[in-house]
């Protein structure tokens, strides 16, 4: 469907191998915190000037927030948190061609399609990586924890998941805006 088309085209645009589209970037941040945040530390360092959705997602994911004085991230990607195994990057404010090429192989980068974001839509988010196993986990998690067989009656519960998948209407609007995005970038650079 359109969601899979968006995943493929967006991953290619930012230079990653795999992507998983969800109902929002906020949902993806919540899942990432709950999956990767080591319970021994359970602290995410956030810039002190940030939309409330990010701290909400961190708290809902089970971590605590430590505020840091940083405004340099505005308009750019920043490391949300890092463990010895993985780095989670919040790139809700920045989408660039081949952006993932600057990342490490296992990095996970989260983008937002909220109407005010670089590629706006009817909300939605996407997580990209070159790590297929991690993207597959997110794909299962956002589809109620179900396996991903194409025939729905053959799917089996893998773990308790969430109903966080992207719908076709969201994907359609985002695909339309993705088609126009290079022209938009060109116009912004000109300005």
């Amino acid at each position: 469907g359109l969601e899979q088309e968006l995943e493929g085209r967006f991953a290619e645009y930012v230079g990653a191998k795999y992507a998983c589209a969800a109902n929002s970037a906020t949902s993806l941040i919540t899942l990432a915190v709950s999956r990767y945040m080591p319970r021994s530390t359970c602290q995410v360092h956030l810039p002190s000037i940030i939309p409330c959705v990010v701290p909400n997602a961190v708290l809902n994911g089970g971590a605590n927030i430590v505020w840091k004085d940083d405004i340099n991230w505005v308009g750019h990607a920043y490391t949300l948190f890092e463990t010895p195994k993985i780095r989670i990057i919040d790139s809700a404010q920045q989408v660039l061609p081949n952006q993932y090429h600057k990342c490490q192989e296992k990095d996970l980068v989260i983008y937002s399609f909220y109407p005010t974001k670089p590629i706006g839509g009817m909300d939605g988010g996407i997580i990209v990586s070159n790590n297929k196993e991690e993207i597959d986990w997110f794909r299962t998690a956002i589809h109620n924890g179900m396996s991903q067989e194409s025939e729905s009656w053959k799917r089996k519960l893998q773990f308790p998941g969430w109903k966080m998948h992207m719908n076709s209407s969201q994907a359609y609007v985002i695909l339309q805006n993705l088609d126009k995005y290079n022209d938009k970038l060109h116009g912004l650079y000109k300005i």
Side-chain angles (χ1 to χ4, degrees):
L2 291 173
E3 301 87 355
Q4 291 79 22
E5 180 182 346
L6 173 62
E7 289 171 349
R9 289 186 48 206
F10 191 85
E12 182 180 346
Y13 185 82
V14 298
K17 292 180 184 174
Y18 309 103
C20 173
N23 64 351
S24 72
T26 305
S27 294
L28 292 168
I29 290 171
T30 301
L31 291 178
V33 170
S34 67
R35 177 163 170 78
Y36 304 110
M37 197 68 234
R39 297 298 174 228
S40 58
T41 55
C42 255
Q43 291 183 336
V44 173
H45 296 260
L46 290 179
S48 55
I49 298 176
I50 197 160
C52 68
V53 297
V54 176
N56 285 346
V58 169
L59 292 171
N60 286 330
N64 295 309
I65 298 167
V66 175
W67 299 103
K68 62 182 180 180
D69 190 17
D70 177 16
I71 59 168
N72 294 324
W73 73 273
V74 176
H76 303 283
Y78 69 95
T79 299
L80 184 62
F81 66 88
E82 190 169 358
T83 73
K85 292 183 180 181
I86 204 151
R87 183 169 63 150
I88 308 296
I89 299 166
D90 179 354
S91 194
Q93 302 288 332
Q94 182 180 45
V95 179
L96 296 172
N98 297 313
Q99 181 178 353
Y100 193 84
H101 291 179
K102 295 178 183 176
C103 295
Q104 298 168 13
E105 198 69 17
K106 290 187 174 186
D107 287 351
L108 293 165
V109 183
I110 299 171
Y111 298 90
S112 175
F113 300 122
Y114 190 75
T116 60
K117 300 303 181 187
I119 301 176
M122 297 167 31
D123 209 350
I126 198 164
I127 187 165
V128 303
S129 182
N130 285 347
N131 187 331
K132 184 179 183 327
E133 290 173 7
E134 295 302 326
I135 294 298
D136 285 346
W137 182 88
F138 277 90
R139 186 167 286 114
T140 299
I142 67 165
H143 284 99
N144 300 302
M146 300 297 287
S147 60
Q148 296 301 299
E149 285 80 16
S150 58
E151 192 176 323
S152 63
W153 288 104
K154 292 186 177 182
R155 295 179 188 157
K156 296 191 178 356
L157 183 65
Q158 303 297 305
F159 55 85
W162 298 263
K163 186 179 185 298
M164 295 179 169
H165 60 277
M166 179 177 280
N167 65 52
S168 297
S169 298
Q170 288 174 304
Y172 176 80
V173 172
I174 296 161
L175 282 165
Q176 298 303 306
N177 288 325
L178 180 58
D179 286 340
K180 300 171 187 172
Y181 187 61
N182 280 336
D183 290 338
K184 179 181 177 179
L185 271 181
H186 180 70
L188 288 172
Y189 286 133
K190 249 178 132 173
I191 292 169

